[in-house]
Amino acid sequence: MFSLLFFLQLNMSERKKQIRFSENDDLSLLKEVLAKNPFKDRTKWSEISDTVSRGSFVVDGRRVRERTNLMLDHHKKSNAESKKKSGVVEEYDEKTALLDDILELKEEEEKVKETEKEKKSADDQKGKDVRKRALENLSKDEEENQTPKKRTSSTNVMEYLQTKVNIENENKREELKLRSEELRLERERFELEREERRERIETEKKEKAFMLQLLEKVLNQK
């Protein structure tokens, strides 16, 4: 009885134990997310958790995923609220820049997955339609074979359907090629904007450092 009670108390104590992320922990996590892109490959969450864990700060893939999504949700809400306000200048720090990049990265991967899903759905539907039309035409051929009327052979029907499928496949390949090119251009724009944001942050840091040095000189002269 005592052993069972001790086990339950120990279990409850472990559940109450919560891992809290510091500002530096958040920054390390966001940098890893941006570098490994777990939105494309979900197994990367586990790699990210191994990288950011240290000492008593130990997190698993699920915990880092939840923390990342929580920060992204707060960031989106903050952006929405900022748009409603006019004349408000907010500080654009490293964490904000990382969240902007990750949010855009996540949205890009969602677009790619949605495109692939739509393509698969369209391919499945086209396959069903082709099979249905083939069966319908074969049934018509069988019915016409029982009458003296001039009829189209099943071979001609299949040749027609095959030609149509080839044309549809060619159109589909062209559409996918165009979409791939659009995604490539969007990724290039994303990389360019990310680099510009980083340069802006570095410039702001240097300006702040210069102002602090100037202030120290003024104070020392007094």
Side-chain angles (χ1 to χ4, degrees):
M1 181 68 180
F2 175 80
S3 298
L4 178 60
L5 182 61
F6 176 78
F7 175 77
L8 291 173
Q9 288 176 340
L10 182 62
N11 192 36
M12 290 175 67
S13 175
E14 288 296 324
R15 287 184 180 181
K16 289 180 181 178
K17 223 169 167 190
Q18 292 184 352
I19 298 294
R20 297 190 178 278
F21 283 75
S22 67
E23 190 68 16
N24 287 334
D25 293 329
D26 283 340
L27 286 175
S28 298
L29 171 58
L30 293 175
K31 288 175 182 177
E32 287 299 316
V33 170
L34 189 60
K36 291 186 168 65
N37 189 10
F39 306 109
K40 184 176 183 179
D41 180 2
R42 291 174 62 87
T43 62
K44 296 294 183 181
W45 287 115
S46 180
E47 293 182 19
I48 293 171
S49 67
D50 292 340
T51 303
V52 300
S53 294
R54 70 190 185 288
S56 60
F57 182 80
V58 179
V59 288
D60 57 13
R62 178 181 177 182
R63 186 72 179 90
V64 294
R65 185 180 73 249
E66 290 174 347
R67 179 63 182 175
T68 301
N69 288 333
L70 180 63
M71 285 191 285
L72 288 175
D73 288 342
H74 286 171
H75 184 60
K76 285 193 286 188
K77 289 177 183 176
S78 177
N79 284 346
E81 291 173 358
S82 297
K83 288 179 181 178
K84 293 179 182 178
K85 299 176 183 178
S86 58
V88 178
V89 179
E90 295 186 354
E91 185 179 356
Y92 194 81
D93 56 12
E94 184 179 12
K95 185 175 182 180
T96 303
L98 287 168
L99 285 167
D100 277 341
D101 290 344
I102 293 171
L103 186 59
E104 191 166 351
L105 181 66
K106 183 181 180 182
E107 289 173 350
E108 284 296 327
E109 291 301 334
E110 287 174 350
K111 286 180 184 177
V112 172
K113 289 179 180 178
E114 186 62 29
T115 300
E116 291 174 350
K117 183 179 178 182
E118 290 175 356
K119 173 186 171 296
K120 185 178 183 304
S121 178
D123 289 347
D124 291 344
Q125 187 59 47
K126 285 179 181 178
K128 290 177 182 177
D129 291 342
V130 169
R131 288 192 294 272
K132 182 180 178 182
R133 287 195 296 269
L135 290 172
E136 289 174 349
N137 286 318
L138 285 173
S139 297
K140 288 179 181 178
D141 282 345
E142 289 176 358
E143 291 175 2
E144 290 173 354
N145 284 335
Q146 298 174 1
T147 67
K149 296 179 181 179
K150 187 177 179 180
R151 47 201 169 271
T152 304
S153 68
S154 60
T155 302
N156 289 337
V157 172
M158 295 306 294
E159 287 178 354
Y160 162 75
L161 290 174
Q162 186 60 50
T163 302
K164 189 170 183 181
V165 169
N166 291 339
I167 292 172
E168 288 174 347
N169 287 338
E170 183 62 28
N171 290 337
K172 182 172 58 182
R173 282 193 291 271
E174 289 298 323
E175 289 174 2
L176 287 174
K177 183 178 178 181
L178 179 61
R179 180 57 182 161
S180 297
E181 183 65 17
E182 289 175 351
L183 289 174
R184 184 184 68 79
L185 292 174
E186 286 181 7
R187 283 198 173 97
E188 288 180 357
R189 178 179 59 80
F190 165 71
E191 292 294 336
L192 180 61
E193 290 178 352
R194 182 172 65 177
E195 188 61 30
E196 289 175 350
R197 281 195 289 268
R198 286 179 178 173
E199 290 177 358
R200 187 165 61 250
I201 290 173
E202 288 299 320
T203 302
E204 290 176 357
K205 285 181 179 178
K206 290 178 181 179
E207 289 176 352
K208 289 178 181 178
F210 175 75
M211 292 300 294
L212 285 173
Q213 290 177 358
L214 190 61
L215 182 60
E216 286 178 2
K217 287 181 181 179
V218 172
L219 292 175
N220 290 335
Q221 289 177 357
K222 292 182 178 181

